[in-house]
Amino acid sequence: MTTVKDDKTEKETIKREFYHLIIDGEKMKGSSGETIKTYNPATGELVAEVAKASKEDAEKAIAAARHSFDHGKWKMYPVGRRAQVLNKIAAIMRSRFNELVELEILDTGKSLHAAQGQVTQAIEDFEFYAGAIVGHRGTVNNVPGQFHNYTEKEPIGVCAQIIPWNYPLMMAAWKVAPAIAVGCSVIVKPASLTPLTAIVLGEICLEAGVPAGVVNVIPGSGSDIGNYLVEHSQVDKVAFTGSTPIGKDIMGKASESLKRVTLELGGKSPSIVFSDADIDAAVDGSLFGIFYNSGQSCEARSRLYVQEDIYDEFMSKFVEKTKRLQLGNPFDKGTHVGAIIDQTQLDTINGYVQSAIKDGAEILAGGHKCSPKGYEKGFWFEPTIITNVNHDMNVVKEEIFGPVVVVMKFKDEKEAIKLANDTTFGLGSAVWSKDGARATRVANQIKAGIVMVNCPFSAFPGTPFGGYKQSGFGRELCIETLDLYSETKSILSYYGSRPLNPLGL
Ligand code: NAP
């Protein structure tokens, strides 16, 4: 794993005032002349203006991607050459590490340590797929006698890649790297709130030698150009990360032309702490599990179940450490929890907490909007622990997407599994126990795509990431993602000396 040292401070700004669309290898202003303004959620200040794509621009991007795929050279390159370009993308990203970190912080309000980790992972995604693609190939299959059968993995074609605001660069890397490794052409639609790093990634792809039209980046409204991409007949696949309701809408629309679809959606991930757990590790892991990225993570462990005989000890440590979490300047190394993405999200979080209080829940930490000193105009919410809840409450059932965790006691393994699985989602989950047999037994019974056993982290390049149930389908970040950007072609040949005459005529 790479470690990238960084001593960036807020004063050494690298950001530009204006960012362009990237279509067919060109940086351009949108045809409508409209722009998106992006704001720093920590301060409420304007960060930059970004060209806003219209349907006309989306049409140009689709045509460019289509042309580069149908008639271009990228998919024809020897695989080693594509791998070389992916490694070059990673190298340029590394050389522009500070810029990417700064933009990610300014656009999202996330803390320095979170942004550094995510930019590092985005770089490593390109390196991972540069390696993985070399081993991605078809098979030779057993067939009778004088037949011969082999399969080829062919790139699927033109892929629309729709990105959320919570991990803008990392989600873009999760999608762009495997797609172009296989030989696809892509149109990236970043979230309107956070388009900057995806644009810079598009520029870097060009600089690294990705041919024009293979990577296009078009910020713009989801309901307008996002939807346009989904419905367009010349788009072969949609890879979407975002909320479950929009995922359902996309799946319905993509079915019209039977586009390939992968959906990485929301979650309400459980974390189960057994009495035989290392309590300190479980406390620290649970803090990270919910408060990392200000709780704005699809796999945030937002439902915490603690076995009754250690409940008091666990909670006293968990509450005490939650109250010590630092909010404030996201560029400060000492800041643990960054800002909330915008006023709407802040109000949503607050609404959930207030409704839980009205329903009789108890707040053990946080519970309010807040204003760290010097950041009064930004969007902030206190790290919040809620107890005295039940599974009928919205705060337990629905994804809040903020620094809010609900905590319940459980009696035994059976009850813990039942509670953990009592959700429409199935993305992440965690088990804390020193008993390996128990941890394995429980991991096997949890209906979720990811189980973290005594581990605060959900994924590294190479580990599959994706959901069960209404958390979506398809796996990113792993070898099998390459298959999701490929079609398998079966070639069956006959080499017998006698001509075949199956109809006997
Ligand atoms: P969102 O509102 O669903 O938006 C996601 C993306 O879809 C944005 O680019 C948005 O564009 C676009 N979009 C909106 N409406 C669309 C439409 N009708 N057709 C096509 N595209 C459309 O989600 P978000 O609020 O940005 O992100 C938070 C959600 O993402 C959470 O639910 C979280 O759990 C989920 N998430 C899941 C994963 C995972 O791997 N499972 C990872 C990260 C996040 P605009 O920005 O212009 O609206």
Side-chain angles (χ1 to χ4, degrees), residues 166-167 266-271 286 288-303 399 401-405 427-429 452 458 465:
N166 59 339
Y167 295 107
K268 189 75 185 177
S269 300
S271 178
S286 302
F288 181 85
I290 182 61
F291 300 125
Y292 175 70
N293 217 48
S294 310
Q296 302 170 123
S297 294
C298 48
E299 87 294 8
R301 275 122 285 160
S302 51
R303 291 184 292 139
E399 182 180 47
F401 225 54
V404 179
V405 63
L427 187 57
S429 60
M452 294 157 256
S458 59
F465 194 100

Side-chain angles (χ1 to χ4, degrees), residues 376-396:
E376 289 80 3
K377 294 204 173 125
F379 315 115
W380 298 86
F381 202 86
E382 294 169 342
T384 297
I385 303 174
I386 307 183
T387 57
N388 203 21
V389 291
N390 64 59
H391 270 224
D392 293 329
M393 290 180 175
N394 288 343
V395 80
V396 177

